[in-house]
């Protein structure tokens, strides 16, 4: 079943520092879980993952919560792959289009983002566009090799609507997207999604399975 969610408008987010956004969203945002194991037979591990989502005047805010085994953050600057680290992701497309954008963040906030026409064909966001995505993490902002054991962390991101090629003054009723958790090169690799994906092996680049995201 394709998932649906509604993104509420929280004007207080426009005034608050990003470090306080999580507390505001705790009370007023929409909360969802990333808990679908589409490939349970080969990747059975499922960390506890949830996110709060809301919007301000010009940004989409996502606050991720993660608790699970192993923590890895080797990607230390924007524009390089982060999916091998402890990573959360948001993919989106506009209604009527199949082109999409992937926003991926490791636990220290390093960002990889790209505009795609397919999994194999895409153009990375510019360095300026990636810098415009604000981030606040509960983890030290320095790269590190894998840490074993149980870890809990949070990451808040504020993605400008302009980066998503949306007009903040005239937002559409809805966009389409999915939310993911992965950590390819950790001791417990996993591929967990918000909206289900009916494919034989892990693949997040599948806009046909994106859920509906209504912008209030």
């Amino acid at each position: 079943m394709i998932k649906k969610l509604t993104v509420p408008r929280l004007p207080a987010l426009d005034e608050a520092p990003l470090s306080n956004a999580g507390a505001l969203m705790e009370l007023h945002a929409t909360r969802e879980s990333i808990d679908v194991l589409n490939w349970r037979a080969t990747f059975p591990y499922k960390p506890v993952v949830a996110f709060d989502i809301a919007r301000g005047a010009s940004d989409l805010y996502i606050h991720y919560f993660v608790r699970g085994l192993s923590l890895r953050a080797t990607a230390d600057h924007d524009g390089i792959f982060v999916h091998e680290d402890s990573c959360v992701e948001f993919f989106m497309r506009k209604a009527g289009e199949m082109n999409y954008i992937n926003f991926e963040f490791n636990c220290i906030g390093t960002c990889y983002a790209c505009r795609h026409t397919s999994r194999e064909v895409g153009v990375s966001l510019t360095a300026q566009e990636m810098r415009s995505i604000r981030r606040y993490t509960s983890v030290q902002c320095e790269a590190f090799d894998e840490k074993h054991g149980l870890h809990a962390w949070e990451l808040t991101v504020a993605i400008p609507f302009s980066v998503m090629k949306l007009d903040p003054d005239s937002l559409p009723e809805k966009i389409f997207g999915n939310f993911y958790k992965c950590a390819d090169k950790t001791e417990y690799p996993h591929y967990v999604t918000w909206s289900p994906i009916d494919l034989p092996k892990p693949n997040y680049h599948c806009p046909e399975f994106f859920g509906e995201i209504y912008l209030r």
Side-chain angles (χ1 to χ4, degrees):
M1 176 186 294
I2 298 298
K3 292 278 190 71
K4 299 179 181 181
L5 65 77
T6 298
V7 179
R9 170 76 186 272
L10 298 185
L13 291 172
D14 296 322
E15 307 297 331
L18 195 62
S19 57
N20 292 348
L24 291 170
M25 296 171 74
E26 175 79 17
L27 293 172
H28 303 293
T30 294
R31 177 165 294 177
E32 296 281 332
S33 294
I34 301 175
D35 59 4
V36 180
L37 280 178
N38 304 281
W39 306 284
R40 183 186 299 269
T42 47
F43 296 100
Y45 179 63
K46 182 172 71 173
V48 177
V49 189
F51 65 92
D52 291 338
I53 188 166
R55 75 172 185 91
S58 58
D59 300 279
L60 180 71
Y61 289 78
I62 309 172
H63 181 204
Y64 294 94
F65 312 79
V66 182
R67 182 172 65 87
L69 294 170
S70 290
L71 193 67
R72 184 182 191 265
T74 60
D76 61 357
H77 62 275
D78 289 352
I80 60 175
F81 291 133
V82 296
H83 62 274
E84 295 179 346
D85 289 341
S86 300
C87 177
V88 288
E89 305 181 359
F90 167 56
F91 284 39
M92 64 77 59
R93 67 173 176 89
K94 295 193 285 186
E97 297 185 3
M98 289 305 286
N99 295 346
Y100 61 93
I101 308 175
N102 59 315
F103 299 95
E104 307 178 7
F105 306 92
N106 68 7
C107 58
I108 62 172
T110 303
C111 175
Y112 174 78
C114 188
R115 295 186 175 93
H116 283 271
T117 55
S118 69
R119 183 174 185 172
E120 294 76 23
V121 180
V123 177
S124 294
L125 270 63
T126 67
Q128 181 177 359
E129 287 176 315
M130 280 189 266
R131 281 196 302 270
S132 74
I133 302 171
R134 293 178 290 139
R135 294 150 250 173
Y136 179 79
T137 177
S138 64
V139 182
Q140 66 183 56
C141 293
E142 298 178 355
F144 54 85
D145 292 326
E146 184 170 3
K147 298 178 180 180
H148 300 284
L150 184 65
H151 299 267
W153 54 279
E154 300 179 24
L155 175 71
T156 305
V157 300
I159 305 173
F161 288 119
S162 58
V163 171
M164 292 184 273
K165 301 303 183 184
L166 298 174
D167 180 356
D169 296 321
S170 183
L171 291 172
E173 176 192 14
K174 68 179 176 180
I175 58 176
F176 295 84
N178 210 342
F179 302 83
Y180 308 126
K181 174 71 183 74
C182 62
D184 293 27
K185 288 295 182 74
T186 64
E187 183 180 3
Y188 299 92
H190 51 271
Y191 301 92
V192 192
T193 72
W194 168 67
S195 193
I197 297 174
D198 186 16
L199 294 173
K201 60 183 180 180
N203 180 8
Y204 289 169
H205 294 256
C206 45
E208 65 271 27
F209 294 107
F210 286 2
E212 298 178 359
I213 301 170
Y214 290 83
L215 303 172
R216 186 180 294 172

